Amino acid sequence: MKCEPSAYSIDDLEKERITSWEGVRNFQARNFLRDKFDTGDIAFFYHSNAAPSGIVGLMKIAKKGYPDFTALNPKHKYYDPNSSQENPIWYMVDVEFIKKFPQIISLQDLRNIKGLEQMEVLKKGSRLSVQPVKIEEFNSIMRHYGY
DNA sequence: GCCAACGTTGGC
DNA sequence: GCCAACGTTGGC
């Protein structure tokens, strides 16, 4: 799950412990949030548009997909007039802080780990802010760093 | 700040 | 349904 650290970083989540992952306004990412997440699932926190960009920690899904209430609030920057209580359009999950890695796993680092050649985030033009990670990919990364 | 890649919109 | 124009993402 990607976020620009200037907007919300792993340090913010460490302080807050738990937060809603609101504001996703892309249909493909929305479908993942709505359909694919389960409570208790583990996710990588990825800093995008950063120096460097990369994976900075782990989160747990504290609440699976439910309507993104910011889309229903006309005062909110993520307001979408096309959404409604009856037809919410946009979804979010709640995430809980697990750990911050001692060092960022940068994109360059990821490219050097065997077994990640097909990983979504390493593909050219991969912009999706919510992406599936295969269990083998997750294990490869964790094993590589001894986590 | 540049720009490639991708998503969305809207005229036809 | 096609596709050009436009907007956004995100690495660099």
Side-chain angles (χ1 to χ4, degrees), chain A residues 2 46 49 53 107 127:
Chain A
K2 298 184 189 174
Y46 179 96
N49 244 318
S53 296
L107 262 191
R127 301 185 316 162

PDB file of all heavy atoms in Angstrom, chain A residues 2 46 49 53 107 127, chain C residues 7-12:
ATOM      1  N   LYS A   2       0.705   2.075  -1.021  1.00  0.00           N
ATOM      2  CA  LYS A   2       1.594   3.221  -1.215  1.00  0.00           C
ATOM      3  C   LYS A   2       1.014   4.486  -0.609  1.00  0.00           C
ATOM      4  O   LYS A   2      -0.194   4.708  -0.635  1.00  0.00           O
ATOM      5  CB  LYS A   2       1.771   3.495  -2.707  1.00  0.00           C
ATOM      6  CG  LYS A   2       2.413   2.402  -3.516  1.00  0.00           C
ATOM      7  CD  LYS A   2       2.578   2.929  -4.930  1.00  0.00           C
ATOM      8  CE  LYS A   2       3.022   1.865  -5.896  1.00  0.00           C
ATOM      9  NZ  LYS A   2       3.024   2.382  -7.277  1.00  0.00           N
ATOM     10  N   TYR A  46       4.464   1.363   1.817  1.00  0.00           N
ATOM     11  CA  TYR A  46       5.422   1.807   0.802  1.00  0.00           C
ATOM     12  C   TYR A  46       5.405   3.321   0.694  1.00  0.00           C
ATOM     13  O   TYR A  46       4.339   3.913   0.506  1.00  0.00           O
ATOM     14  CB  TYR A  46       5.045   1.171  -0.538  1.00  0.00           C
ATOM     15  CG  TYR A  46       5.923   1.531  -1.713  1.00  0.00           C
ATOM     16  CD1 TYR A  46       6.981   0.708  -2.099  1.00  0.00           C
ATOM     17  CD2 TYR A  46       5.677   2.689  -2.452  1.00  0.00           C
ATOM     18  CE1 TYR A  46       7.784   1.033  -3.181  1.00  0.00           C
ATOM     19  CE2 TYR A  46       6.480   3.028  -3.543  1.00  0.00           C
ATOM     20  CZ  TYR A  46       7.532   2.196  -3.897  1.00  0.00           C
ATOM     21  OH  TYR A  46       8.323   2.521  -4.975  1.00  0.00           O
ATOM     22  N   ASN A  49       7.168   8.508  -4.138  1.00  0.00           N
ATOM     23  CA  ASN A  49       7.620   9.877  -4.358  1.00  0.00           C
ATOM     24  C   ASN A  49       8.538  10.337  -3.241  1.00  0.00           C
ATOM     25  O   ASN A  49       8.445  11.471  -2.767  1.00  0.00           O
ATOM     26  CB  ASN A  49       6.424  10.818  -4.439  1.00  0.00           C
ATOM     27  CG  ASN A  49       6.320  11.459  -5.798  1.00  0.00           C
ATOM     28  OD1 ASN A  49       7.335  11.862  -6.363  1.00  0.00           O
ATOM     29  ND2 ASN A  49       5.126  11.531  -6.323  1.00  0.00           N
ATOM     30  N   SER A  53      12.321   5.971  -2.660  1.00  0.00           N
ATOM     31  CA  SER A  53      11.036   5.308  -2.468  1.00  0.00           C
ATOM     32  C   SER A  53      11.282   3.865  -2.077  1.00  0.00           C
ATOM     33  O   SER A  53      12.301   3.285  -2.442  1.00  0.00           O
ATOM     34  CB  SER A  53      10.226   5.353  -3.762  1.00  0.00           C
ATOM     35  OG  SER A  53       9.904   6.678  -4.106  1.00  0.00           O
ATOM     36  N   LEU A 107      13.451   0.695  -3.738  1.00  0.00           N
ATOM     37  CA  LEU A 107      13.150   0.038  -5.009  1.00  0.00           C
ATOM     38  C   LEU A 107      14.383  -0.663  -5.558  1.00  0.00           C
ATOM     39  O   LEU A 107      14.314  -1.784  -6.052  1.00  0.00           O
ATOM     40  CB  LEU A 107      12.687   1.081  -6.028  1.00  0.00           C
ATOM     41  CG  LEU A 107      11.197   1.272  -6.258  1.00  0.00           C
ATOM     42  CD1 LEU A 107      10.996   2.142  -7.470  1.00  0.00           C
ATOM     43  CD2 LEU A 107      10.502  -0.058  -6.449  1.00  0.00           C
ATOM     44  N   ARG A 127       1.655   2.053 -11.242  1.00  0.00           N
ATOM     45  CA  ARG A 127       1.254   3.234 -10.481  1.00  0.00           C
ATOM     46  C   ARG A 127       0.187   2.945  -9.441  1.00  0.00           C
ATOM     47  O   ARG A 127      -0.173   3.818  -8.663  1.00  0.00           O
ATOM     48  CB  ARG A 127       0.705   4.303 -11.427  1.00  0.00           C
ATOM     49  CG  ARG A 127       1.687   4.735 -12.484  1.00  0.00           C
ATOM     50  CD  ARG A 127       1.108   5.857 -13.289  1.00  0.00           C
ATOM     51  NE  ARG A 127      -0.295   5.595 -13.634  1.00  0.00           N
ATOM     52  CZ  ARG A 127      -1.132   6.532 -14.029  1.00  0.00           C
ATOM     53  NH1 ARG A 127      -0.738   7.755 -14.127  1.00  0.00           N
ATOM     54  NH2 ARG A 127      -2.365   6.211 -14.330  1.00  0.00           N
TER      55      ARG A 127
ATOM     56  P    DG C   7      -6.137  19.220 -17.794  1.00  0.00           P
ATOM     57  OP1  DG C   7      -6.989  20.228 -17.143  1.00  0.00           O
ATOM     58  OP2  DG C   7      -4.769  19.544 -18.248  1.00  0.00           O
ATOM     59  O5'  DG C   7      -6.056  17.961 -16.838  1.00  0.00           O
ATOM     60  C5'  DG C   7      -7.252  17.316 -16.410  1.00  0.00           C
ATOM     61  C4'  DG C   7      -6.894  16.190 -15.459  1.00  0.00           C
ATOM     62  O4'  DG C   7      -6.306  15.098 -16.213  1.00  0.00           O
ATOM     63  C3'  DG C   7      -5.866  16.590 -14.403  1.00  0.00           C
ATOM     64  O3'  DG C   7      -6.278  16.062 -13.143  1.00  0.00           O
ATOM     65  C2'  DG C   7      -4.568  15.961 -14.891  1.00  0.00           C
ATOM     66  C1'  DG C   7      -5.070  14.727 -15.643  1.00  0.00           C
ATOM     67  N9   DG C   7      -4.201  14.308 -16.727  1.00  0.00           N
ATOM     68  C8   DG C   7      -3.690  15.087 -17.735  1.00  0.00           C
ATOM     69  N7   DG C   7      -2.944  14.424 -18.577  1.00  0.00           N
ATOM     70  C5   DG C   7      -2.964  13.130 -18.098  1.00  0.00           C
ATOM     71  C6   DG C   7      -2.337  11.946 -18.588  1.00  0.00           C
ATOM     72  O6   DG C   7      -1.626  11.833 -19.584  1.00  0.00           O
ATOM     73  N1   DG C   7      -2.620  10.842 -17.793  1.00  0.00           N
ATOM     74  C2   DG C   7      -3.401  10.865 -16.676  1.00  0.00           C
ATOM     75  N2   DG C   7      -3.563   9.707 -16.033  1.00  0.00           N
ATOM     76  N3   DG C   7      -4.003  11.948 -16.202  1.00  0.00           N
ATOM     77  C4   DG C   7      -3.738  13.039 -16.960  1.00  0.00           C
ATOM     78  P    DT C   8      -5.395  16.251 -11.846  1.00  0.00           P
ATOM     79  OP1  DT C   8      -6.323  16.385 -10.716  1.00  0.00           O
ATOM     80  OP2  DT C   8      -4.363  17.270 -12.125  1.00  0.00           O
ATOM     81  O5'  DT C   8      -4.662  14.844 -11.724  1.00  0.00           O
ATOM     82  C5'  DT C   8      -5.444  13.664 -11.696  1.00  0.00           C
ATOM     83  C4'  DT C   8      -4.536  12.484 -11.471  1.00  0.00           C
ATOM     84  O4'  DT C   8      -3.764  12.219 -12.667  1.00  0.00           O
ATOM     85  C3'  DT C   8      -3.530  12.676 -10.331  1.00  0.00           C
ATOM     86  O3'  DT C   8      -3.573  11.503  -9.553  1.00  0.00           O
ATOM     87  C2'  DT C   8      -2.187  12.859 -11.058  1.00  0.00           C
ATOM     88  C1'  DT C   8      -2.407  12.036 -12.323  1.00  0.00           C
ATOM     89  N1   DT C   8      -1.627  12.425 -13.525  1.00  0.00           N
ATOM     90  C2   DT C   8      -0.943  11.441 -14.212  1.00  0.00           C
ATOM     91  O2   DT C   8      -0.929  10.287 -13.867  1.00  0.00           O
ATOM     92  N3   DT C   8      -0.285  11.883 -15.332  1.00  0.00           N
ATOM     93  C4   DT C   8      -0.242  13.176 -15.819  1.00  0.00           C
ATOM     94  O4   DT C   8       0.380  13.441 -16.833  1.00  0.00           O
ATOM     95  C5   DT C   8      -0.974  14.152 -15.044  1.00  0.00           C
ATOM     96  C7   DT C   8      -0.982  15.568 -15.482  1.00  0.00           C
ATOM     97  C6   DT C   8      -1.633  13.739 -13.956  1.00  0.00           C
ATOM     98  P    DT C   9      -2.745  11.392  -8.201  1.00  0.00           P
ATOM     99  OP1  DT C   9      -3.643  10.771  -7.229  1.00  0.00           O
ATOM    100  OP2  DT C   9      -2.061  12.681  -7.917  1.00  0.00           O
ATOM    101  O5'  DT C   9      -1.633  10.339  -8.585  1.00  0.00           O
ATOM    102  C5'  DT C   9      -2.013   9.133  -9.240  1.00  0.00           C
ATOM    103  C4'  DT C   9      -0.758   8.398  -9.640  1.00  0.00           C
ATOM    104  O4'  DT C   9      -0.161   9.057 -10.778  1.00  0.00           O
ATOM    105  C3'  DT C   9       0.319   8.339  -8.554  1.00  0.00           C
ATOM    106  O3'  DT C   9       0.688   6.990  -8.432  1.00  0.00           O
ATOM    107  C2'  DT C   9       1.446   9.239  -9.094  1.00  0.00           C
ATOM    108  C1'  DT C   9       1.232   9.137 -10.591  1.00  0.00           C
ATOM    109  N1   DT C   9       1.639  10.276 -11.434  1.00  0.00           N
ATOM    110  C2   DT C   9       2.342  10.005 -12.599  1.00  0.00           C
ATOM    111  O2   DT C   9       2.668   8.879 -12.928  1.00  0.00           O
ATOM    112  N3   DT C   9       2.653  11.116 -13.357  1.00  0.00           N
ATOM    113  C4   DT C   9       2.326  12.420 -13.081  1.00  0.00           C
ATOM    114  O4   DT C   9       2.654  13.325 -13.841  1.00  0.00           O
ATOM    115  C5   DT C   9       1.597  12.630 -11.860  1.00  0.00           C
ATOM    116  C7   DT C   9       1.209  14.026 -11.479  1.00  0.00           C
ATOM    117  C6   DT C   9       1.294  11.558 -11.110  1.00  0.00           C
ATOM    118  P    DG C  10       1.500   6.461  -7.196  1.00  0.00           P
ATOM    119  OP1  DG C  10       1.243   5.021  -7.084  1.00  0.00           O
ATOM    120  OP2  DG C  10       1.258   7.358  -6.068  1.00  0.00           O
ATOM    121  O5'  DG C  10       2.998   6.644  -7.663  1.00  0.00           O
ATOM    122  C5'  DG C  10       3.486   5.883  -8.745  1.00  0.00           C
ATOM    123  C4'  DG C  10       4.830   6.398  -9.113  1.00  0.00           C
ATOM    124  O4'  DG C  10       4.705   7.626  -9.837  1.00  0.00           O
ATOM    125  C3'  DG C  10       5.739   6.721  -7.906  1.00  0.00           C
ATOM    126  O3'  DG C  10       7.013   6.211  -8.184  1.00  0.00           O
ATOM    127  C2'  DG C  10       5.764   8.237  -7.882  1.00  0.00           C
ATOM    128  C1'  DG C  10       5.705   8.502  -9.376  1.00  0.00           C
ATOM    129  N9   DG C  10       5.376   9.863  -9.775  1.00  0.00           N
ATOM    130  C8   DG C  10       4.677  10.807  -9.061  1.00  0.00           C
ATOM    131  N7   DG C  10       4.566  11.959  -9.699  1.00  0.00           N
ATOM    132  C5   DG C  10       5.235  11.727 -10.902  1.00  0.00           C
ATOM    133  C6   DG C  10       5.461  12.576 -12.012  1.00  0.00           C
ATOM    134  O6   DG C  10       5.082  13.750 -12.161  1.00  0.00           O
ATOM    135  N1   DG C  10       6.167  11.951 -13.019  1.00  0.00           N
ATOM    136  C2   DG C  10       6.619  10.661 -12.978  1.00  0.00           C
ATOM    137  N2   DG C  10       7.292  10.217 -14.031  1.00  0.00           N
ATOM    138  N3   DG C  10       6.421   9.843 -11.938  1.00  0.00           N
ATOM    139  C4   DG C  10       5.730  10.441 -10.955  1.00  0.00           C
ATOM    140  P    DG C  11       7.983   5.701  -7.062  1.00  0.00           P
ATOM    141  OP1  DG C  11       7.462   4.440  -6.517  1.00  0.00           O
ATOM    142  OP2  DG C  11       8.292   6.815  -6.153  1.00  0.00           O
ATOM    143  O5'  DG C  11       9.257   5.378  -7.935  1.00  0.00           O
ATOM    144  C5'  DG C  11       9.109   4.658  -9.163  1.00  0.00           C
ATOM    145  C4'  DG C  11      10.109   5.168 -10.168  1.00  0.00           C
ATOM    146  O4'  DG C  11       9.676   6.454 -10.697  1.00  0.00           O
ATOM    147  C3'  DG C  11      11.515   5.402  -9.599  1.00  0.00           C
ATOM    148  O3'  DG C  11      12.461   4.948 -10.562  1.00  0.00           O
ATOM    149  C2'  DG C  11      11.573   6.913  -9.384  1.00  0.00           C
ATOM    150  C1'  DG C  11      10.697   7.428 -10.521  1.00  0.00           C
ATOM    151  N9   DG C  11      10.042   8.689 -10.237  1.00  0.00           N
ATOM    152  C8   DG C  11       9.329   9.015  -9.101  1.00  0.00           C
ATOM    153  N7   DG C  11       8.834  10.229  -9.137  1.00  0.00           N
ATOM    154  C5   DG C  11       9.250  10.742 -10.361  1.00  0.00           C
ATOM    155  C6   DG C  11       9.025  12.010 -10.947  1.00  0.00           C
ATOM    156  O6   DG C  11       8.387  12.972 -10.486  1.00  0.00           O
ATOM    157  N1   DG C  11       9.610  12.129 -12.193  1.00  0.00           N
ATOM    158  C2   DG C  11      10.332  11.132 -12.798  1.00  0.00           C
ATOM    159  N2   DG C  11      10.828  11.408 -13.998  1.00  0.00           N
ATOM    160  N3   DG C  11      10.558   9.934 -12.265  1.00  0.00           N
ATOM    161  C4   DG C  11       9.994   9.806 -11.047  1.00  0.00           C
ATOM    162  P    DC C  12      13.963   4.699 -10.177  1.00  0.00           P
ATOM    163  OP1  DC C  12      14.432   3.650 -11.088  1.00  0.00           O
ATOM    164  OP2  DC C  12      14.084   4.535  -8.712  1.00  0.00           O
ATOM    165  O5'  DC C  12      14.659   6.055 -10.589  1.00  0.00           O
ATOM    166  C5'  DC C  12      14.692   6.419 -11.966  1.00  0.00           C
ATOM    167  C4'  DC C  12      15.053   7.865 -12.085  1.00  0.00           C
ATOM    168  O4'  DC C  12      13.936   8.679 -11.693  1.00  0.00           O
ATOM    169  C3'  DC C  12      16.157   8.313 -11.153  1.00  0.00           C
ATOM    170  O3'  DC C  12      17.421   8.121 -11.763  1.00  0.00           O
ATOM    171  C2'  DC C  12      15.874   9.801 -10.947  1.00  0.00           C
ATOM    172  C1'  DC C  12      14.448   9.984 -11.471  1.00  0.00           C
ATOM    173  N1   DC C  12      13.550  10.691 -10.518  1.00  0.00           N
ATOM    174  C2   DC C  12      13.110  11.970 -10.861  1.00  0.00           C
ATOM    175  O2   DC C  12      13.478  12.451 -11.934  1.00  0.00           O
ATOM    176  N3   DC C  12      12.298  12.620 -10.004  1.00  0.00           N
ATOM    177  C4   DC C  12      11.929  12.050  -8.860  1.00  0.00           C
ATOM    178  N4   DC C  12      11.117  12.746  -8.065  1.00  0.00           N
ATOM    179  C5   DC C  12      12.364  10.750  -8.495  1.00  0.00           C
ATOM    180  C6   DC C  12      13.179  10.116  -9.350  1.00  0.00           C
TER     181       DC C  12
END
